Amino acid sequence: IQIGLADCSIEHEQFPYPLEQVSGNLIYTNGHWRFAELRGVKDTAYVVGQGAWNQTDVGELSMRFEATDVPLDDKLRRALKPGAQRLWGNLRPRGSIDHLTIDMRYESNSRNFGLDVRAQKWAPQANLEGRSISFQPTWLPYTWDNVTGSMRYDNGRIELTDVKANHGQTTVALAGQGQFAKDESWQLQFDKFLLSRMKVDRELLGALPSHVAQALARTSFDGQVELEGNVGITGAAGNTPSIRFDV
């Protein structure tokens, strides 16, 4: 059996981010369904996908979607789990992701749901003008522009690789990992954190944690400085995120 799909919509209850104008084929062979050549859109994002529904004792649905030019908007934020939504609210990102891969697995009998998301933002010369990513963390109220790097979210754990951004001439490079708990708390640990070409001025001192700002303010700097170390950040529902600098 082969069923053609045209101008449909797809949305999973565990990841409520509906795809629109979906086309493709639904193929039934020997007790199994296969999704083939799926194509759809979501705002500016273009999405392709494939998957299978295996009618075994477990009843497993597996899907893979690949998307380009995915906007960082409230529709995507609301599709995330509560802990990830809180981190999003504390990062305040804007812009669009160049490439996004989503692997979903769902077992109907146990209702176990697995989500593996990999996101990539390339350097400005490799993506479209006006679609760069910026963010302004609540714990470090500096606006960071031209964000590049990779992110992976795998069932409650997050990994950041080769992330770079700038604030004027100041640049930041970081890498680390984190996790989200069922109580909606979250934590990030940046084992690599490097601030370069940093100008110690009122804007910077006002953004840094008080103990770091006080240490810098007591020192006379001429020109630009560099700050390297590791950073830990934790957050929970109803609480302001706490940050630990070890430099």
Side-chain angles (χ1 to χ4, degrees):
I1 300 174
Q2 179 169 316
I3 302 172
L5 306 175
D7 201 20
C8 301
S9 62
I10 296 178
E11 177 181 352
H12 196 284
E13 65 178 5
Q14 295 288 342
F15 188 70
Y17 188 69
L19 300 182
E20 301 159 350
Q21 302 177 33
V22 175
S23 63
N25 295 297
L26 183 57
I27 303 168
Y28 181 79
T29 307
N30 297 326
H32 302 292
W33 289 97
R34 182 166 60 91
F35 299 89
E37 300 177 334
L38 297 180
R39 290 176 172 81
V41 297
K42 180 62 177 177
D43 298 324
T44 61
Y46 178 71
V47 185
V48 298
Q50 59 184 357
W53 169 246
N54 296 317
Q55 294 179 300
T56 61
D57 292 338
V58 175
E60 182 184 71
L61 172 68
S62 59
M63 301 291 296
R64 164 169 282 197
F65 296 98
E66 295 191 54
T68 56
D69 197 20
V70 181
L72 293 168
D73 57 14
D74 279 345
K75 297 174 185 177
L76 180 58
R77 180 186 61 82
R78 289 194 295 266
L80 303 176
K81 296 298 184 182
Q85 288 191 37
R86 293 190 181 279
L87 176 58
W88 181 300
N90 284 288
L91 282 174
R92 297 182 287 189
R94 303 186 305 274
S96 63
I97 299 168
D98 288 336
H99 189 266
L100 188 69
T101 301
I102 300 174
D103 287 305
M104 296 193 310
R105 281 179 170 77
Y106 179 71
E107 297 178 357
S108 60
N109 289 356
S110 63
R111 299 186 66 84
N112 287 333
F113 177 74
L115 183 66
D116 186 349
V117 179
R118 282 158 286 174
Q120 179 75 47
K121 188 66 179 179
W122 294 304
Q125 62 266 27
N127 69 73
L128 298 176
E129 183 179 356
R131 294 179 178 174
S132 62
I133 292 179
S134 300
F135 66 94
Q136 187 184 44
T138 57
W139 60 81
L140 184 65
Y142 238 34
T143 298
W144 295 100
D145 300 313
N146 302 314
V147 180
T148 61
S150 302
M151 183 278 294
R152 182 174 185 180
Y153 172 90
D154 186 6
N155 295 312
R157 297 187 62 85
I158 187 172
E159 182 179 357
L160 299 167
T161 305
D162 197 26
V163 176
K164 299 177 181 177
N166 71 276
H167 177 91
Q169 292 187 342
T170 302
T171 63
V172 63
L174 56 87
Q177 62 283 320
Q179 61 184 15
F180 304 97
K182 293 183 178 180
D183 62 1
E184 301 185 19
S185 64
W186 54 268
Q187 62 178 11
L188 290 175
Q189 177 64 41
F190 297 112
D191 298 318
K192 172 189 175 182
F193 187 88
L194 174 62
L195 282 170
S196 301
R197 294 187 292 176
M198 183 174 59
K199 184 179 180 181
V200 180
D201 54 16
R202 289 185 178 181
E203 183 183 17
L204 175 66
L205 295 177
L208 290 172
S210 58
H211 68 284
V212 178
Q214 290 171 7
L216 288 175
R218 287 194 295 265
T219 306
S220 178
F221 291 100
D222 183 14
Q224 300 172 336
V225 298
E226 186 173 281
L227 184 64
E228 182 176 9
N230 59 74
V231 178
I233 308 167
T234 58
N239 295 325
T240 302
S242 60
I243 182 169
R244 174 186 55 80
F245 275 88
D246 185 6
V247 296

